[in-house]
Amino acid sequence: MGKNEFLTPKAIANRIKAKGLQKLRWYCQMCQKQCRDENGFKCHCMSESHQRQMQIFGQNPTRIVHGYSEEFETTFLEHMKRSHRFSRIAATVVYNEYISDRHHVHMNSTRWATLTEFVKHLGREGKCKVEDTPKGWFITYIDRDSETLFKERMKNKRLKADLVDEEKQERAIQKQIEKAEQMVVEGSEKTGVEEESKPKVLDRTNAEAEKIKLNLLQAKKKAETDALKLVFGEGNDGNKSGKRKHDGGEETSTRNASVLDELIMEEEKVKERSNRKDYWLFEGIVVKVMSKALEDKGYYKQKGVVRKVMDKYVGEIEMLSNNHVLRVDQEELETVIPQMGGIVKIVNGAYRGERAKLLSIDASKFCAKVQIEKGLYEGRVLKAVEYEDICKLMQ
C-alpha cells in the first residue's frame, strides 16, 4: 500500500487539512487553487498552468478584476438578501458567513483591498444602508425587488385610501352634528311661537278697580269698511288662510322630499364604499400610456385598447397607432375622456361597470355629467363623476 493511497493516515490528514479554510494569501483566484503553505504556493506559481493563466490575465487585467468585483458584490448581496433581508447586522458577521463557502470569490481578486472600502462602496451605490459605530461597520440591506416595491406601493395606496375614508366619515359626522344643532334651534323657536299663540286664562284679580269699556263706533266703522272690501273683491282673509294651508302642505312635502334625499344619499354612500376599488382596468376601454420608460420606444402618451386584464392591476394594451401589444401596470396608464355624446365605461365608484353616455364636462371641477344607458339604473343621470372614474369605451 502506498503512503498516500485512500484511507492511509497521510491521506486522511491531507483531507482534514484541505477541508477547512486556508490562509487567503496562499490562494490563487485565477487557478482557483488553495495552497497550504508558502512553499506550496511558490511551487504553484512556477507551474505551467499558472503561467498560462497569468498570460491571460496580462492581456486585459482591468476586465478580469472588474468581473471578479461584480461577482463578489452580487454573491455578497445575494447572501444578505437571503440571510439578513430585514435586519441591521455587523459587516464582519456577514463577511464571515460569506467566506465559509470554500469556493467563494476572494476579496484579494477584487478592486477593494479591505472590507471597509467595500462597505463604503455599497453605501455610495445605495444598495445598503451603512452606519459607522464604535463597534464597527453595520449594514442594512435595501430591498429593491420589483415585487417588494409593488407591495410597498399598494400598501401606501391602501393607507391613503383609509385616510380618505376617515376624512369622509369625519365630515359626515360633522354635518350630522351641525344638522342636529340646527334642528334643536328650530325646535326651540317653534316651541316659543306655540307658547305665545296659546290662549291665556283671564286674570281678574283687580276686577273692582278696572272697568270694561266698549267702543261701538269704531266697531261699526270697521264692519262698514269690511263690507266695502267684500263688495269690491278685496277680501284677503280667505286668501291668507288659503296661503297658510298651501304653505303647510309645501312644508310637509319638502320634509318628505328631504327625508327621501337623505335615504338616497345613504344608499349612494353604501354603493360607493362597496364598489370603490384600488384597481380600475376593464377590457375594451381606451387608455393613455404615461410610462416615461417607454418614451424611447415611442409609446409615451399614446393611446391603446385594453384587450386583457391580468391580476386586476396589469393590462395587455393594443396600441392604436401600430397594433403592438404591451403589458403595462395601471399605475402607468391614464383614462381617456371622449367627445360630447361619446360612450364611456364607469370604471370605479358606486356605478362601477355601468355603460353611460357623456353629457357635459366641468373643467373647473375635473368632473363630468353622464347618463347610464343600460342595466338596472338605465336613464339615471350622474351630475359629478370624476375624470378618473370614467373612461372612453372602444366601439
Side-chain angles (χ1 to χ4, degrees), residues 165 168 267-282 345-354 372 377 382 384-391:
D165 290 340
K168 286 180 179 177
E267 185 185 354
E268 292 287 332
K269 286 178 183 178
V270 171
K271 282 195 290 185
E272 176 72 21
R273 282 196 294 269
S274 61
N275 290 335
R276 175 69 59 180
K277 310 290 184 184
D278 58 354
Y279 52 89
W280 55 269
L281 287 178
F282 281 87
K345 185 95 166 180
I346 301 175
V347 296
N348 217 341
Y351 298 92
R352 177 186 176 91
E354 298 291 340
I372 297 175
Y377 306 102
L382 309 178
V385 184
E386 294 182 0
Y387 288 165
E388 291 80 6
D389 293 344
I390 58 172
C391 190

Side-chain angles (χ1 to χ4, degrees), residues 27 29 88 133 144 185 241 271 286 343 358 369 379 391:
Y27 181 82
Q29 185 66 57
R88 173 179 172 271
T133 65
R144 298 189 184 278
V185 172
S241 63
K271 282 195 290 185
V286 180
I343 304 300
L358 184 65
K369 182 179 179 182
C391 190

Side-chain angles (χ1 to χ4, degrees), residues 56-106:
I56 294 169
F57 177 79
Q59 290 174 4
N60 198 345
T62 308
R63 180 183 173 187
I64 293 172
V65 171
H66 185 69
Y68 281 133
S69 301
E70 277 190 356
E71 189 178 349
F72 178 82
E73 184 181 344
T74 305
T75 50
F76 188 89
L77 290 173
E78 190 67 32
H79 176 75
M80 273 285 293
K81 180 181 176 182
R82 190 170 55 249
S83 302
H84 310 285
R85 192 169 189 170
F86 304 106
S87 58
R88 173 179 172 271
I89 193 165
T92 51
V93 174
V94 184
Y95 181 71
N96 288 331
E97 290 175 359
Y98 170 73
I99 64 172
S100 60
D101 179 18
R102 273 190 73 191
H103 303 291
H104 70 277
V105 177
H106 289 63

Side-chain angles (χ1 to χ4, degrees), residues 178 265 308 351 355 365:
E178 290 174 0
M265 287 294 291
K308 187 178 178 182
Y351 298 92
R355 179 189 172 112
K365 296 181 180 178

Side-chain angles (χ1 to χ4, degrees), residues 280-327:
W280 55 269
L281 287 178
F282 281 87
E283 292 182 5
I285 61 173
V286 180
V287 293
K288 188 183 286 186
V289 178
M290 301 302 291
S291 174
K292 290 192 176 181
L294 300 172
E295 188 175 4
D296 297 337
K297 298 179 181 178
Y299 298 120
Y300 183 60
K301 290 191 176 181
Q302 296 298 312
K303 295 178 184 178
V305 185
V306 179
R307 294 301 182 194
K308 187 178 178 182
V309 180
M310 306 173 66
D311 298 330
K312 298 180 182 178
Y313 299 96
V314 181
E316 283 190 357
I317 315 299
E318 183 181 347
M319 305 306 295
L320 296 176
S321 56
N322 49 19
N323 294 330
H324 290 176
V325 178
L326 310 176
R327 191 172 291 178

